[in-house]
Amino acid sequence: MKYERHEYFEIKIEKLQSNSNLWNQTIAYANNCSWNVGRHLAKLLEQDDFQDFEGVFIALSGNNIIGFCTFLETDYYPENRYFPWISSIFVDEEYRGNRISEKLIQSAINNARMFGFDKVYIPSNIIGLYEKYGFCKIDEIENYDGDIDNIFMKEI
């Protein structure tokens, strides 16, 4: 499937705050996005049980949410031998190809540095994307569904 590239649009990445008017908008966006992980993110936001260093980053074009990622201590694995996780990385189909996921990941990395982390991890079944952003595959882990995910790590 090929997506139309937008010629020019300004992207803003923001760490979502629970008192933000974007909180409920992000829940609605996540619930309705094309990836089922969005519904999991919506539940996390509804519970609002994040540790100080954890959070959700959203990509905005104007007032429209066009993507998100999480920064969490635990992820979708019975064996949680790595942390912190940058995960649930999603960009609207019509905005893909504009390096928005890279901007989301970089914002999460900047957050990790502020809290003293020296490594971050991304779980994914995709090969060839996160390597472009300086991540290396270091492991494979079985998730709660019984599927095997690649684990990528980057020293920051």
Side-chain angles (χ1 to χ4, degrees), residues 48-140:
D48 190 12
D49 189 25
F50 296 99
Q51 296 186 48
D52 288 345
F53 70 86
E54 295 180 310
V56 176
F57 293 85
I58 56 173
L60 296 159
S61 176
N63 294 325
N64 297 318
I65 299 170
I66 61 168
F68 56 75
C69 78
T70 58
F71 183 72
L72 303 170
E73 179 178 8
T74 60
D75 207 343
Y76 194 61
Y77 303 98
E79 181 184 346
N80 194 47
R81 58 183 167 220
Y82 303 109
F83 82 94
W85 296 100
I86 299 172
S87 61
S88 303
I89 303 163
F90 175 80
V91 174
D92 256 10
E93 287 82 354
E94 67 180 279
Y95 289 92
R96 292 181 185 170
N98 294 289
R99 300 187 75 103
I100 296 167
S101 60
E102 179 181 26
K103 292 173 181 159
L104 286 162
I105 291 166
Q106 190 56 54
S107 294
I109 287 172
N110 293 343
N111 184 74
R113 284 187 185 120
M114 283 183 6
F115 285 95
F117 292 104
D118 61 357
K119 295 176 186 162
V120 292
Y121 301 88
I122 293 179
S124 180
N125 58 3
I126 298 171
I127 298 286
L129 174 61
Y130 302 111
E131 296 90 335
K132 292 189 297 188
Y133 306 142
F135 285 80
C136 298
K137 181 180 173 184
I138 61 161
D139 204 351
E140 295 178 350

Side-chain angles (χ1 to χ4, degrees), residues 35-40 43 75-79 123 125 141-149:
W35 189 27
N36 64 352
V37 171
R39 287 172 279 300
H40 174 70
K43 287 178 187 172
D75 207 343
Y76 194 61
Y77 303 98
E79 181 184 346
N125 58 3
I141 295 181
E142 184 176 343
N143 66 34
Y144 281 115
D145 286 339
D147 297 325
I148 302 297
D149 288 334

Side-chain angles (χ1 to χ4, degrees), residues 3-17:
Y3 301 106
E4 180 180 323
R5 280 185 83 112
H6 291 264
E7 289 304 313
Y8 176 79
F9 55 94
E10 190 173 325
I11 297 299
K12 178 181 174 189
I13 307 297
E14 187 173 304
K15 185 175 182 184
L16 194 58
Q17 304 296 323

